[in-house]
Amino acid sequence: MTILFPSPIFGPVKSRRLGVSLGINLLPADGKVCSFDCIYCECGLRKDHIPHQKFPPRSQVQAELRQQLQKMQALGTPPDVITFAGNGEPTLHPDFAGIIDDTITLRDEYFPKAEISVLSNATQLDRQDVFDAMLRVDNNIQKLDTVTPQYIRFVDQPLSPTYDVEHIISRLALFADKCIIQTMFLDGEYKGKSVNNTGDEYIQPWLTAIQRIHPSKVMIYTIERETPISTLRKATPESLDRIALQVESLGISCQVSY
């Protein structure tokens, strides 16, 4: 079963990586809007979830976020984090930067200890407003599943024919230690081909990119929920632990979610 999230506010939910998370979905509630079409996405494949609704306007996001924070304050249930995630890529929203500013203001008013996180696939970092907004959040979490172009085309399936992972890495490196890299590791197959990206042929060039970006942290994880492709499998705990040790040998913290 694929998961589509309400829009614009959902949760709070318990996140494996972030704790008690109040979600903000800047995409339509009835479908998926993303610059990737990852075969492991819990929201399903793009062709099966074409939205008919529009992006929630900035004013609606602000009003509904305020309402939810007021409710949580009255209940005495603070969030650990306010997370931009949901039905696709949040930075595709045309008012993304302004919504980040609104969210920071509301966070500071109601729960100043809560962190603000954005889960992104890094495809919009050429937009200066998006890049600058990412510098204003506490957890700027950017996806980099591999640096092998053929694997990215096969598994992450970027919609743009000009997607260039080398350019993405160069943009990520500009954040210095102001970003977190998030990487999905898989096993299994798709269309008769292996999707296992835990071998040295993938890990060594990925580690080189990690060293170049030098993020504050790396988050590695594997699938947890049902995926639209039934032949995918979880990466083993042993392989994730091995990769984590290699990241930490670079002097970079690594968080593992099995």
Side-chain angles (χ1 to χ4, degrees):
M1 179 188 297
T2 54
I3 300 171
L4 289 176
F5 296 90
S7 179
I9 309 300
F10 64 94
V13 298
K14 181 68 175 177
S15 166
R16 283 189 294 173
R17 287 159 285 166
L18 301 172
V20 178
S21 173
L22 179 63
I24 301 181
N25 173 26
L26 296 184
L27 295 315
D30 66 336
K32 178 178 173 179
V33 178
C34 197
S35 46
F36 277 4
D37 197 16
C38 299
I39 63 173
Y40 57 76
C41 181
E42 65 185 14
C43 296
L45 297 177
R46 183 169 167 267
K47 65 179 177 61
D48 299 323
H49 300 283
I50 297 172
H52 300 285
Q53 298 175 13
K54 296 180 179 180
F55 290 101
R58 176 179 175 179
S59 59
Q60 180 188 358
V61 178
Q62 183 184 41
E64 293 194 22
L65 178 58
R66 179 183 292 277
Q67 183 180 44
Q68 180 63 32
L69 292 175
Q70 287 175 339
K71 179 180 176 182
M72 296 177 77
Q73 187 181 64
L75 292 171
T77 55
D80 295 314
V81 63
I82 300 169
T83 305
F84 286 80
N87 301 340
E89 174 54 39
T91 61
L92 291 173
H93 194 293
D95 286 329
F96 174 77
I99 291 170
I100 289 294
D101 290 339
D102 295 341
T103 302
I104 292 170
T105 298
L106 288 170
R107 183 275 310 272
D108 291 349
E109 180 178 350
Y110 290 98
F111 293 108
K113 292 183 180 179
E115 297 186 337
I116 296 172
S117 298
V118 179
L119 305 182
S120 177
N121 63 21
T123 58
Q124 303 301 304
L125 293 180
D126 278 336
R127 287 173 49 195
Q128 195 62 43
D129 62 327
V130 169
F131 187 94
D132 292 343
M134 288 296 192
L135 288 171
R136 297 196 292 275
V137 303
D138 301 287
N139 299 309
N140 167 21
I141 304 173
Q142 302 285 344
K143 170 184 290 295
L144 186 67
D145 286 344
T146 179
V147 299
T148 305
Q150 297 88 341
Y151 187 94
I152 294 169
R153 285 284 167 200
F154 190 55
V155 172
D156 291 345
Q157 301 190 131
L159 302 188
S160 171
T162 60
Y163 176 88
D164 180 359
V165 69
E166 180 61 27
H167 178 68
I168 296 293
I169 293 166
S170 71
R171 294 297 289 170
L172 291 170
L174 295 176
F175 284 128
D177 61 350
K178 300 295 185 182
C179 80
I180 296 168
I181 295 298
Q182 173 181 263
T183 300
M184 167 69 78
F185 289 104
L186 294 172
D187 201 349
E189 62 179 37
Y190 174 53
K191 295 183 177 179
K193 295 181 180 179
S194 171
V195 296
N196 188 318
N197 59 335
T198 65
D200 281 347
E201 70 273 26
Y202 293 108
I203 297 303
Q204 294 309 314
W206 174 80
L207 286 169
T208 299
I210 294 297
Q211 192 166 24
R212 179 177 162 193
I213 298 165
H214 209 274
S216 60
K217 181 193 292 186
V218 173
M219 294 176 167
I220 66 174
Y221 67 124
T222 190
I223 52 178
E224 180 184 28
R225 302 181 180 93
E226 186 176 343
T227 61
I229 304 301
S230 62
T231 51
L232 304 181
R233 298 197 305 272
K234 294 170 75 76
T236 66
E238 293 78 14
S239 62
L240 294 177
D241 287 342
R242 173 176 50 82
I243 295 164
L245 286 173
Q246 293 178 84
V247 173
E248 289 169 350
S249 73
L250 301 176
I252 299 170
S253 172
C254 189
Q255 179 181 337
V256 183
S257 298
Y258 301 105

